[in-house]
Amino acid sequence: MFDLVFVTGSRAGEVIAVKSSLMAGRSPECSLEVPDPNASRQHARVVFDGTGLTLVDNRSANGTFLNEKRLTEPVRLKHDDVFRLGETRIRIQARRGAAEPGNESVFGFHDSEADLSQSIVMPMADLAQQSRSPDVADRRFAGLLKAMNLSKDINQLDRVLEGIIEVMFELFPQTERGFLMLGRTVETLQPKAVRVRNASGTQEAPKVSTSICRKALVEKAAFLFNDSNPGDFDQGMSIVSLKIRSAMTVPLIVENEILGLLQVDTTDRARAFTSKDLELAAAVSQVASIALKNSQQITDLASVTRTKDNLCRFLPGPVAQQVLDGKLELALGGKTYAGTVLFSDIVGFTRMSESLAPERVVEMMNKYFERMVPCIRNEGGSIDKFIGDAIMAFWGVPIATDNSASQGAAAALGMQIALLGFNSLEQSQGRQSIGHGIGLNTGPVVAGNIGSTDTISYTLLGDTVNTASRIEHHAMKEQVLVSQSTWDALGGAGYGIRMPPVNVRNKTEALSLCALRGLGRDAGEIMLFLPVDSGGVRCWLIRRLSDQTFILLHPASHDPAVHLMASAAVEWPGCGLGTPVVLATLPAQNADGTLNRSQIKLDDVTLGGLLGAQPLPCPLGWDSLVR
């Protein structure tokens, strides 16, 4: 139902499914451990009551902050709220699917036995039988009970409608005809449930009085009509021609919203409806209206869900939502946007797949995509398509944003980090690891529905898209290449290596590219993806925290504190980074696979100038960079 996402700190990127209330703090004994020196040992509580989350400060020394305001009392949390303990920020993420993992019930039972010897016991099956029995003294109470039981069929609208008519016929034996119509005005009324007592197969289709219906809807009031005392009714020809002697018409209303109309009538003047009957009919209609409204909402929700699921099969998620909201037409054509486009593919995939069984290739790719897609969607991106082993994604379309480059860059670095855990698990099972290259470009794109009238695909076209693909073709394993336009759009938040100009197909001028190795994030932290060599063992720096320490991913059997560390980035190899001091071994994360996560300190917090104001020049030429 809810996830907690670490936004900053040593556990940045980790997602915790909330299944119960959590104690958050620095102590390893806390159910939500926050390894932050500025957090108290038991800093705050996240209280889960089964339906929502409440944040409570636990009299912490430095305070608990919600959306950067200090907490003074318990506060109910909402989707996208961010609370801070020390310098660690955690975002609330509400799950949309009810059947997702972690949504198990939090309610239980008290096991101690109670004394039930003096209780009155009435089996529910017997109660249901009695409610249908004519011998029950209060038949009307049984009718109301049956009307309330319509809620059990709430996900089947037809049953609810038929049930309302059935209740009216049982409550009022003189009823000869019953109509349940949905609509807000007489002109829009549509019959949904009609019953005629003792109807023969040759009988003319039943009709309803327009005069009575109009009056009930206009005045939003229940009406009783008797021809012996018509009151203020204008007896239109419909009443006369239908030989109606008595009728009750009750609008179905929930919170002043007209849902429709319920009417029963009789041609037997001797058994005319009474004012007491009208009161009961109005009570039944109120109960029935709520059941009807709930059923309609569930039906509408199911319809929208099916529609969105179908749309999401062919359209990226944000695009599908725009269509559902009526903000985007599903018609052939396009529109120009400013966005960022990402391409990724597995280096050497064709050669590798030739040596594997087809079933193994499909299994591997499905597991790979399961790791990559969340990296894109968690940064607000849309998947355009999968092209074999390649992924095309985009940001800023069709919902314009001013940070599409930053979102795309964060997704790209996240994809590289996510692949590390994937590979560690593959290697632990004796399987081959893989590497992918990623390219990013920012600029104008034409987005729209392309295809024929019966086969439409929403996609992006234009030079920006083509150039992003060309950039990706030059990206090597463990490398993210970005165009100059993307680098400029990052506004100084990017850190990396300036690559030599490169000529690509269909471009007259050489491209200026940067190998992205870091990205400024919240609270002064820097997201990193820098492969390093530690005594001949491959490790990876993945974050610089606000206190200038680093997070290092490394094999569990390796001790990084006893080896000199040097850059192993393909475009910047061999730069010495010193010998790290290991400050802490951090909690394991599922995404890390078999790798360990350590917090380390380095003498040079700029990583040899990599984390400086300007990108470092690449010491190698393209001819020495083999993909």
Side-chain angles (χ1 to χ4, degrees):
M1 185 178 293
F2 293 95
D3 288 330
L4 301 182
V5 182
F6 280 84
V7 178
T8 63
S10 59
R11 299 182 71 176
E14 187 171 358
V15 180
I16 306 296
V18 179
K19 300 180 181 180
S20 60
S21 296
L22 301 171
M23 176 63 76
R26 192 178 73 250
S27 171
E29 298 177 358
C30 287
S31 50
L32 183 64
E33 184 181 354
V34 181
D36 188 309
N38 295 312
S40 299
R41 290 184 59 80
Q42 294 185 336
H43 195 110
R45 288 178 292 129
V46 180
V47 180
F48 183 38
D49 62 7
T51 61
L53 303 179
T54 300
L55 181 62
V56 183
D57 181 65
N58 210 35
R59 289 188 280 187
S60 60
N62 294 323
T64 301
F65 292 79
L66 177 62
N67 300 323
E68 292 308 312
K69 292 183 179 179
R70 185 160 186 160
L71 208 66
T72 57
E73 59 184 15
V75 175
R76 195 75 163 177
L77 296 173
K78 306 185 300 297
H79 176 67
D80 270 346
D81 276 348
V82 176
F83 65 91
R84 177 166 63 84
L85 283 61
E87 295 303 319
T88 300
R89 289 166 170 79
I90 301 173
R91 188 177 76 247
I92 308 301
Q93 188 167 292
R95 291 183 177 173
R96 300 190 183 278
E100 295 181 63
N103 285 340
E104 299 88 349
S105 171
V106 298
F107 299 103
F109 298 93
H110 188 59
D111 290 332
S112 61
E113 296 185 1
D115 181 9
L116 304 177
S117 60
Q118 302 302 314
S119 300
I120 298 174
V121 179
M122 179 178 292
M124 293 304 295
D126 293 350
L127 180 60
Q129 285 295 119
Q130 290 180 23
S131 68
R132 292 193 291 268
S133 171
D135 299 327
V136 175
D138 196 345
R139 174 174 51 83
R140 298 189 168 195
F141 172 77
L144 279 174
L145 179 63
K146 187 168 184 176
M148 288 186 285
N149 282 338
L150 291 174
S151 296
K152 72 179 186 300
D153 295 323
I154 196 169
N155 60 342
Q156 300 183 56
L157 181 58
D158 290 344
R159 283 195 180 186
V160 172
L161 299 175
E162 291 290 346
I164 295 171
I165 289 292
E166 183 179 338
V167 168
M168 295 298 287
F169 267 70
E170 290 184 5
L171 283 176
F172 308 108
Q174 68 270 51
T175 299
E176 296 178 17
R177 305 185 313 160
F179 303 87
L180 195 153
M181 298 158 284
L182 300 185
R184 297 184 178 182
T185 65
V186 170
E187 291 73 23
T188 60
L189 283 177
Q190 294 290 326
K192 296 297 182 180
V194 179
R195 179 178 293 190
V196 178
R197 196 186 297 275
N198 301 323
S200 64
T202 59
Q203 187 174 2
E204 183 183 355
K207 299 177 181 179
V208 68
S209 168
T210 305
S211 304
I212 297 176
C213 292
R214 178 175 285 109
K215 190 170 183 67
L217 290 175
V218 170
E219 300 190 21
K220 292 184 178 180
F223 284 98
L224 169 64
F225 165 76
N226 287 316
D227 68 348
S228 59
N229 182 25
D232 60 353
F233 272 111
D234 176 13
Q235 292 194 51
M237 289 303 296
S238 60
I239 297 176
V240 175
S241 63
L242 293 173
K243 299 180 181 179
I244 296 174
R245 300 294 178 250
S246 184
M248 292 190 297
T249 305
V250 186
L252 301 172
I253 300 176
V254 174
E255 295 182 348
N256 210 36
E257 177 189 357
I258 296 176
L259 305 179
L261 203 64
L262 176 62
Q263 180 173 302
V264 292
D265 61 42
T266 180
T267 60
D268 187 352
R269 183 182 288 114
R271 304 178 69 195
F273 299 109
T274 67
S275 58
K276 291 293 184 182
D277 291 335
L278 184 64
E279 292 175 3
L280 179 58
V284 170
S285 77
Q286 287 298 301
V287 174
S289 296
I290 294 172
L292 173 59
K293 179 64 175 178
N294 291 338
S295 181
Q296 286 180 330
Q297 289 178 329
I298 287 181
T299 301
D300 293 344
L301 179 61
S303 176
V304 169
T305 301
R306 283 194 301 272
T307 301
K308 186 171 184 178
D309 287 346
N310 288 333
L311 285 173
C312 285
R313 292 173 59 194
F314 306 102
L315 302 176
V319 179
Q321 190 60 55
Q322 290 269 299
V323 173
L324 288 172
D325 293 342
K327 298 176 181 178
L328 190 66
E329 291 292 333
L330 270 183
L332 293 176
K335 182 179 177 182
T336 300
Y337 299 88
T340 295
V341 182
L342 175 150
F343 278 90
S344 75
D345 81 337
I346 296 174
V347 178
F349 175 76
T350 301
R351 184 171 58 255
M352 179 186 65
S353 61
E354 289 175 350
S355 63
L356 300 175
E359 296 81 7
R360 169 61 189 138
V361 174
V362 171
E363 177 194 8
M364 179 182 69
M365 291 311 302
N366 284 337
K367 289 165 62 177
Y368 168 77
F369 287 137
E370 284 179 2
R371 291 254 181 172
M372 298 303 114
V373 169
C375 297
I376 294 168
R377 290 184 173 164
N378 289 345
E379 292 295 337
S382 299
I383 306 292
D384 184 288
K385 59 176 70 73
F386 299 106
I387 313 165
D389 62 306
I391 302 173
M392 175 183 170
F394 58 86
W395 287 260
V397 181
I399 304 172
T401 64
D402 57 1
N403 62 340
S404 68
S406 178
Q407 290 175 306
L413 294 175
M415 290 168 68
Q416 293 289 12
I417 294 170
L419 188 59
L420 301 178
F422 173 88
N423 278 334
S424 73
L425 292 174
E426 292 290 289
Q427 291 171 335
S428 69
Q429 298 175 26
R431 294 172 174 172
Q432 183 178 354
S433 64
I434 58 177
H436 59 195
I438 300 175
L440 287 168
N441 190 25
T442 301
V445 296
V446 176
N449 299 302
I450 310 298
S452 63
T453 54
D454 59 348
T455 304
I456 294 177
S457 175
Y458 189 92
T459 191
L460 273 60
L461 301 172
D463 181 65
T464 297
V465 178
N466 297 334
T467 301
S469 178
R470 305 285 185 269
I471 293 171
E472 181 272 315
H473 288 163
H474 283 76
M476 283 148 278
K477 291 180 180 180
E478 297 191 317
Q479 191 178 53
V480 177
L481 292 181
V482 303
S483 67
Q484 185 64 47
S485 60
T486 299
W487 186 265
D488 292 342
L490 292 176
Y495 301 92
I497 309 296
R498 173 72 66 185
M499 304 297 292
V502 61
N503 292 303
V504 300
R505 185 159 54 92
N506 296 332
K507 299 291 285 188
T508 57
E509 295 184 3
L511 294 181
S512 178
L513 306 178
C514 285
L516 183 71
R517 291 298 173 185
L519 180 69
R521 302 295 274 172
D522 296 326
E525 295 191 1
I526 299 175
M527 186 179 188
L528 295 171
F529 183 73
L530 180 65
V532 295
D533 180 273
S534 174
V537 175
R538 179 62 67 96
C539 305
W540 300 267
L541 289 169
I542 61 171
R543 204 167 191 94
R544 191 182 80 176
L545 304 180
S546 57
D547 62 1
Q548 309 294 291
T549 61
F550 295 85
I551 305 301
L552 180 74
L553 273 179
H554 58 88
S557 59
H558 181 67
D559 182 1
V562 298
H563 301 283
L564 283 170
M565 185 178 291
S567 167
V570 63
E571 76 282 355
W572 189 55
C575 179
L577 303 175
T579 302
V581 176
V582 176
L583 302 177
T585 298
L586 301 173
Q589 297 190 18
N590 291 334
D592 295 340
T594 64
L595 300 174
N596 276 14
R597 183 174 289 222
S598 294
Q599 184 175 4
I600 66 170
K601 182 178 180 180
L602 292 168
D603 289 337
D604 182 1
V605 298
T606 72
L607 299 179
L610 178 66
L611 304 183
Q614 299 296 327
L616 295 176
C618 177
L620 305 176
W622 284 104
D623 55 348
S624 61
L625 299 173
V626 181
R627 196 167 195 260

